[in-house]
């Protein structure tokens, strides 16, 4: 919850979230819990500093299936993606 407060700042940092479709479709906690989760995502997505994308099932296998990816966007270099998986990084 503390990390979410960062998104509520006046000068919130630009953030990009990519959510796997399965995380949105897999019902956890019942219909009412899922409804509140979707409402929370919609509230966050209304903030211009927050971008939410959904990675659809149609994309098939992808590198993020092994864990999270971190995008390193540097001022004087190309953006890099870092993935840490069991046994390597």
């Amino acid at each position: 919850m503390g990390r979410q407060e960062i998104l509520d700042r006046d000068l919130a940092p630009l953030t990009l979230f990519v959510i796997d479709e399965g995380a949105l479709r897999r019902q956890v906690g019942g219909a009412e819990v899922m409804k509140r989760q979707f409402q929370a995502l919609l509230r966050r997505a209304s903030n211009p500093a927050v971008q939410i994308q959904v990675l659809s099932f149609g994309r098939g296998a992808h590198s993020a299936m092994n864990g999270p990816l971190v995008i390193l966007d540097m001022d004087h270099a190309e953006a890099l993606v870092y993935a840490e998986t069991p046994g390597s990084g």
Side-chain angles (χ1 to χ4, degrees), residues 35-67:
K35 179 181 175 182
R36 289 195 314 265
Q37 289 293 329
F38 282 120
Q39 289 170 339
L41 284 172
L42 290 172
R43 263 192 320 276
R44 288 288 178 210
S46 69
N47 180 337
V50 175
Q51 297 177 16
I52 299 175
Q53 297 177 0
V54 178
L55 184 59
S56 72
F57 287 138
R59 293 295 302 229
H62 54 82
S63 57
M65 292 175 69
N66 293 327

Side-chain angles (χ1 to χ4, degrees), residues 69-75 77-83:
L69 301 173
V70 176
I71 300 173
L72 306 170
D73 192 13
M74 299 180 218
D75 289 338
E78 293 183 46
L80 302 172
V81 176
Y82 176 77

